[in-house]
């Protein structure tokens, strides 16, 4: 994880701040003492543990698992475009009992750039059911999942 490589620098900055808080008048002339560095390291450990807990909770999100299931289906079926209704028909009912159960997974896949919802077509008439939302898949979804770069849009 990229954030973990920044931990040592963050601990050093925390140590510097603790040192200056302890020696506000002449801290820049004194070396940072071992107890100050130990306190900064302890704070770094605390924040690392907190970050790991947050990342664990994020991956435990049911939308994450649902998104992986939907993505696997899209990669295997390889459509350039699809409707929500078409996708729903290809998935197992046990995982997605109702079409609305797809919403969190589709939102997450769109957030990460795997899919993009297209504007709805113009409607000619007042009655009937609105058309199912249409999505376009990212071209990289046709590659192997392990080799596909992060597609988040800037």
């Amino acid at each position: 994880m990229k954030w973990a490589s920044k931990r040592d620098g963050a601990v050093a900055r925390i140590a510097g701040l603790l040192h200056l808080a302890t020696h506000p008048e002449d801290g820049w002339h004194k070396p940072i003492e071992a107890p100050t560095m130990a306190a900064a390291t302890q704070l770094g450990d605390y924040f690392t543990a907190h970050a790991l807990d947050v990342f664990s909770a994020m991956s435990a999100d049911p939308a994450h698992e649902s998104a992986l299931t939907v993505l696997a289906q899209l990669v295997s079926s390889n459509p350039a475009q699809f409707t929500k209704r078409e996708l729903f028909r290809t998935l197992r009912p046990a995982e997605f009992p109702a079409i609305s159960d797809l919403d969190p997974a589709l939102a997450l896949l769109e957030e990460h750039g795997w899919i993009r919802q297209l504007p709805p077509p113009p409607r000619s008439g007042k009655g009937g059911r609105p058309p199912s939302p249409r999505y376009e898949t990212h071209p990289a979804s046709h590659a192997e999942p392990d080799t596909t770069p992060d597609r988040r849009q800037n």
Side-chain angles (χ1 to χ4, degrees), residues 59-110:
S59 66
D61 180 9
H64 182 262
E65 288 301 317
S66 296
L68 289 175
T69 300
V70 170
L71 182 59
Q73 174 60 33
L74 292 174
V75 168
S76 71
S77 62
N78 203 18
Q81 293 185 3
F82 65 93
T83 66
K84 183 177 176 184
R85 192 169 291 116
E86 291 167 345
L87 175 65
F88 179 69
R89 289 181 183 144
T90 65
L91 296 166
R92 293 188 352 213
E95 293 182 81
F96 298 95
I99 196 166
S100 61
D101 294 332
L102 282 171
D103 292 340
L106 291 172
L108 191 57
L109 290 173
E110 190 167 18

Side-chain angles (χ1 to χ4, degrees), residues 11 19-20 31 33 40 51 54 60 82 91 107-108 118 121 133 135-137 141 154:
V11 167
H19 177 72
L20 290 175
E33 298 168 351
V54 169
F82 65 93
L91 296 166
L108 191 57
L118 298 172
Y135 294 87
E136 181 176 58
T137 59
S141 69
N154 296 332

